[in-house]
Amino acid sequence: MTISAYKKAAPAVKVLRNSKMWNDIECIEAEFIHGKTLFRCPEFVPAGVEDNDFCVPKDCCPETLPQPKFSSPFSSFSPGVLEELEDCIRRANELLLALAVSEDEKGVDAEGDLEAGEPNARALQQSLRSLRDQFVTVHYVCSGKKQEVCGYFLDAGIDFIIIEKADTCNIAFIPTRKILSIHDLDRGENITEEQELICINPCLRRDLTFHFGEIVTKSPYLLNLFFGIKLKMLLESYIGYYCYIQTETDNHEIDGTLEKIDDRDMLIQKYDEKHWIDFEDICLIELEK
């Protein structure tokens, strides 16, 4: 209803025509006169705006009293649920970063086509190391078949993971490229995020500080912690151990004593028989304790 139409229906409104409140306010005049909508102060008033721009008398709004300010929660989740959700998002982001392939890692095949690069091995290792001390089920592929191993996740290297098998209590090494999935069954119950090397011998701490290179190179564990190591480098520390090996090329498990490690092969011996095994063919290595 316009002001002109409203004058005919309610002449008493002429009394208000001289008020600045009713200057050019056809759109809201009917609402105020009929009382359909109670006036409320605007939720937000930009700086420098005069009262008449809002059709409001100067002293219409109550005086604002000083009030203490409290930070409002930025989430509707409870603190416990929010912490769990943020941890899940953090781990997902770490895994995505680990699996991401940069443009520099991509290559060109013989036909000139762009081929996929390798995942970020170091980032993937650090992501997998968050599973340490968890009971896991690992699915991996060998000879085109899906295999499974259960046990405690001990550690991860650049191109492998270490599992303490639940059935034999032996140590198993599985190349990362063979892994299909890892299911951590009790994650969240016993998981710890303590920083490593916090509780160590003061003498070792001093040696790490002043003789870092000399001390770290003597320990496969420290090498893996600070830089990451590959499977063939770690296996050099287990020469003389009896092992069981699953490969892509053999239908049955090969067993024998680990005798030698080369750049591409490892040698195991059983009685007078010697077997050279290519690292690319290895699906799982199990070492007897």
Side-chain angles (χ1 to χ4, degrees):
M1 181 184 293
T2 63
I3 291 179
S4 300
Y6 192 81
K7 288 178 184 177
K8 298 178 181 178
V13 79
K14 294 178 181 179
V15 180
L16 299 175
R17 288 295 295 162
N18 294 328
S19 172
K20 67 175 182 177
M21 177 179 177
W22 300 108
N23 256 349
D24 302 320
I25 55 168
E26 291 185 356
C27 59
I28 64 170
E29 178 256 353
E31 295 292 330
F32 275 97
I33 296 301
H34 287 291
K36 294 179 182 178
T37 303
L38 294 177
F39 174 76
R40 292 179 296 180
C41 291
E43 294 182 359
F44 173 77
V45 181
V49 174
E50 298 181 2
D51 293 337
N52 61 345
D53 287 345
F54 287 93
C55 313
V56 180
K58 183 176 181 181
D59 299 325
C60 178
C61 293
E63 180 182 358
T64 301
L65 301 177
Q67 297 290 334
K69 297 181 179 180
F70 303 94
S71 59
S72 58
F74 58 86
S75 174
S76 59
F77 294 106
S78 64
V81 174
L82 181 61
E83 182 179 359
E84 183 179 351
L85 180 61
E86 288 178 340
D87 180 65
C88 181
I89 294 174
R90 176 186 59 79
R91 289 188 285 113
N93 286 335
E94 289 177 353
L95 184 58
L96 289 174
L97 177 63
L99 297 177
V101 179
S102 67
E103 292 297 327
D104 295 337
E105 293 173 332
K106 294 181 179 179
V108 178
D109 58 20
E111 298 179 357
D113 297 326
L114 189 67
E115 58 183 10
E118 293 296 326
N120 187 333
R122 178 60 174 165
L124 180 58
Q125 176 203 6
Q126 293 175 330
S127 178
L128 289 173
R129 294 189 82 238
S130 66
L131 295 172
R132 285 173 301 154
D133 300 326
Q134 303 300 304
F135 191 87
V136 298
T137 299
V138 181
H139 294 104
Y140 62 99
V141 62
C142 191
S143 299
K145 298 179 181 179
K146 185 177 181 181
Q147 308 282 345
E148 177 182 297
V149 60
C150 299
Y152 286 94
F153 195 104
L154 297 183
D155 211 339
I158 289 293
D159 58 353
F160 65 95
I161 64 172
I162 308 175
I163 303 292
E164 182 181 13
K165 295 183 66 176
D167 53 352
T168 63
C169 294
N170 290 337
I171 304 301
F173 302 92
I174 306 175
T176 308
R177 67 181 184 278
K178 300 294 184 181
I179 297 174
L180 297 176
S181 63
I182 302 177
H183 301 278
D184 47 328
L185 303 181
D186 58 355
R187 186 172 185 85
E189 297 179 5
N190 303 314
I191 187 170
T192 58
E193 296 291 347
E194 293 184 1
Q195 184 177 348
E196 296 184 70
L197 304 182
I198 288 294
C199 300
I200 60 175
N201 186 288
C203 295
L204 175 59
R205 189 184 304 278
R206 185 181 186 280
D207 284 340
L208 283 173
T209 304
F210 294 103
H211 309 286
F212 180 82
E214 179 183 353
I215 297 301
V216 169
T217 53
K218 292 180 179 179
S219 168
Y221 167 75
L222 293 177
L223 273 175
N224 191 47
L225 174 62
F226 289 108
F227 305 106
I229 61 176
K230 293 189 175 183
L231 179 58
K232 61 183 179 181
M233 182 182 296
L234 180 65
L235 288 176
E236 290 180 353
S237 302
Y238 292 95
I239 290 178
Y241 279 68
Y242 200 84
C243 60
Y244 306 88
I245 303 176
Q246 296 179 15
T247 68
E248 293 280 2
T249 56
D250 294 282
N251 295 326
H252 59 279
E253 194 174 67
I254 303 174
D255 62 296
T257 303
L258 181 58
E259 295 289 338
K260 187 178 180 180
I261 302 294
D262 282 344
D263 288 339
R264 298 180 56 88
D265 309 281
M266 58 183 292
L267 173 65
I268 65 171
Q269 181 174 349
K270 184 177 182 181
Y271 307 122
D272 294 331
E273 296 183 4
K274 295 184 178 181
H275 296 275
W276 283 97
I277 303 174
D278 194 319
F279 278 110
E280 292 296 324
D281 296 331
I282 295 175
C283 301
L284 181 143
I285 302 175
E286 180 178 344
L287 297 178
E288 282 191 354
K289 284 188 174 181

